[in-house]
Amino acid sequence: MLQAHYLLKPTSTTPNELMKIANLDLGPHPVMLAPMEDVTDPSFRLICREMGASLVYTEFVSAEALIRNINSTTRKLFTDSRERPVAIQIYGRDPEAMVSAAKIVEAAQPDLLDINFGCPVKKVAGKGAGAGMLRDIPKMLAITKAVVEAVSIPVTVKTRLGWDCENKIITDLGPRLQDCGIKAITVHGRTRSQMYTGQADWELIGKLKADPRMEIPVIGNGDITTPQAAADAFAKFGVDGIMIGRGAIGAPWIFHDTVQFLESGQFSPIPTARKFEILRRQIRESIDRIDEYRGILHIRRHLASTPLFKGLPNFRETRIRMLRAESEAELLDIFDEIGRNYFDDLRQNPL
């Protein structure tokens, strides 16, 4: 069934409408996968690219752990050529460590290096890294400038509106970060104190984009969970690109729907059977990448978040069993049961 919500005219591909980060051409109205810890692993990134994501980001990488050659951290630098374009994101609070880490990342040959000045969690921001840098702007700028000067690949920044509601500084901060030499900025429309609560404030993102001083792309992030929300972000706030985070967890097909909608003003949802197959693929590839037990633990977040199972009647007990399953066989048996019990198309044509 086609769904229409004509907010944005079909996009053209004339050169002046293409978004570029340095020499990286992302086309008109790019839709990107946000970096998310324990979510944006290689398998998920590749699926999102196949679904239409213009650019994907790794999980964030600790600069300190990277320079200490911690295996679990260095593994995050692995990217598949099929993912490209792909960005690797680093975070830290020590300028020297950030420079050293940036050079290690450059050797891994991503298309972009992104600096995380936006992570709000206590173990990161509370130690002065991530969004914690919003309380020490001189240090943030010094780190940004040092990283830009240390590597030859394009450097970008992801941050928030400010530390708290009394200090929404992004409209002043954006041009200053630009002056450090970054090639794009992504703004999550919340403060650090908000974490992920409340609604993202896109008005300030739009204000930054409208600032005549801004010459680099401004990418908006926050609460993009539908194709319509993506179209609104472009049409109302003029951003150069949007980034989808939590809206993609358990639903990588959001990129398929959103890209279609931005191109034509309507989209044709992916069939239920295909969505089931995508989740099955995530389970299989998560297990192959790690092992059965930890792979299933890793994928539970996607299964808990997927909109595919939202609103199913009398689903609570099945959901609990699904999220407690400890083997691939048990989990896939539950998937078969869900298909038979809740979806007519799968009942007639089982996977």
Side-chain angles (χ1 to χ4, degrees), residues 166-333:
E166 287 71 44
N167 294 279
K168 294 183 177 180
I169 60 173
I170 191 61
T171 52
D172 174 68
L173 178 60
R176 298 176 71 184
L177 286 167
Q178 176 180 254
D179 290 344
C180 293
I182 64 171
K183 301 303 182 184
I185 183 171
T186 301
V187 181
H188 182 112
R190 290 181 173 88
T191 63
R192 187 274 171 180
S193 63
Q194 285 181 274
M195 301 291 286
Y196 296 101
T197 63
Q199 289 187 324
D201 181 356
W202 279 78
E203 295 290 341
L204 279 179
I205 300 176
K207 186 175 180 181
L208 176 65
K209 171 56 189 174
D211 189 325
R213 294 174 295 174
M214 294 302 294
E215 299 177 351
I216 61 174
V218 174
I219 302 159
N221 175 219
D223 297 345
I224 302 295
T225 58
T226 66
Q228 293 87 348
D232 279 343
F234 281 113
K236 293 181 179 179
F237 306 107
V239 291
D240 297 287
I242 61 164
M243 192 172 281
I244 299 178
R246 289 174 294 163
I249 301 176
W253 48 82
I254 191 174
F255 293 100
H256 166 275
D257 296 347
T258 300
V259 170
Q260 274 197 1
F261 191 80
L262 292 173
E263 289 177 347
S264 65
Q266 56 189 11
F267 69 95
S268 180
I270 287 178
T272 301
R274 174 66 176 132
K275 292 178 180 178
F276 264 87
E277 181 52 40
I278 290 170
L279 292 180
R280 286 171 176 268
R281 174 182 168 186
Q282 286 187 251
I283 294 168
R284 182 175 64 253
E285 293 182 354
S286 180
I287 290 171
D288 289 346
R289 184 173 61 90
I290 315 174
D291 56 50
E292 185 172 46
Y293 177 72
R294 291 183 301 160
I296 289 174
L297 286 180
H298 172 75
I299 212 64
R300 281 177 181 170
R301 183 172 182 182
H302 292 268
L303 299 181
S305 299
T306 182
L308 188 58
F309 305 140
K310 301 294 185 185
L312 295 181
N314 305 312
F315 190 70
R316 183 174 183 274
E317 182 181 336
T318 304
R319 174 186 170 86
I320 291 172
R321 287 193 294 115
M322 179 179 68
L323 297 180
R324 288 180 176 174
E326 295 185 355
S327 73
E328 180 179 12
E330 180 185 3
L331 188 52
L332 294 182
D333 282 346

Side-chain angles (χ1 to χ4, degrees), residues 75-126:
R75 282 198 296 268
K76 293 180 179 180
L77 300 185
F78 170 79
T79 60
D80 188 309
S81 61
R82 294 172 295 172
E83 297 175 45
R84 292 190 182 275
V86 60
I88 295 177
Q89 187 187 70
I90 61 173
Y91 74 95
R93 61 181 179 178
D94 178 73
E96 291 185 5
M98 288 289 281
V99 165
S100 297
K103 292 178 179 178
I104 295 171
V105 168
E106 182 177 32
Q109 299 183 323
D111 296 282
L112 300 173
L113 167 62
D114 191 68
I115 305 176
N116 181 320
F117 291 141
C119 179
V121 300
K122 185 175 181 180
K123 69 178 182 179
V124 175

Side-chain angles (χ1 to χ4, degrees), residues 36-183:
M36 291 177 282
E37 180 69 0
D38 294 326
V39 174
T40 54
D41 58 77
S43 169
F44 186 64
R45 296 195 306 263
L46 180 56
I47 291 171
C48 289
R49 280 287 291 136
E50 291 171 357
M51 290 288 103
S54 308
L55 172 67
V56 295
Y57 287 69
T58 64
E59 303 170 77
F60 64 17
V61 177
S62 164
E64 294 285 352
L66 191 57
I67 62 178
R68 294 201 309 270
N69 200 32
I70 304 298
N71 285 337
S72 59
T73 299
T74 57
R75 282 198 296 268
K76 293 180 179 180
L77 300 185
F78 170 79
T79 60
D80 188 309
S81 61
R82 294 172 295 172
E83 297 175 45
R84 292 190 182 275
V86 60
I88 295 177
Q89 187 187 70
I90 61 173
Y91 74 95
R93 61 181 179 178
D94 178 73
E96 291 185 5
M98 288 289 281
V99 165
S100 297
K103 292 178 179 178
I104 295 171
V105 168
E106 182 177 32
Q109 299 183 323
D111 296 282
L112 300 173
L113 167 62
D114 191 68
I115 305 176
N116 181 320
F117 291 141
C119 179
V121 300
K122 185 175 181 180
K123 69 178 182 179
V124 175
K127 296 179 180 179
M133 280 290 168
L134 289 164
R135 293 193 291 183
D136 191 345
I137 300 306
K139 191 173 186 180
M140 176 194 285
L141 298 174
I143 286 176
T144 304
K145 190 171 188 297
V147 168
V148 168
E149 293 176 350
V151 297
S152 59
I153 58 176
V155 176
T156 60
V157 159
K158 188 171 190 287
T159 189
R160 289 184 167 232
L161 302 179
W163 178 256
D164 54 33
C165 291
E166 287 71 44
N167 294 279
K168 294 183 177 180
I169 60 173
I170 191 61
T171 52
D172 174 68
L173 178 60
R176 298 176 71 184
L177 286 167
Q178 176 180 254
D179 290 344
C180 293
I182 64 171
K183 301 303 182 184

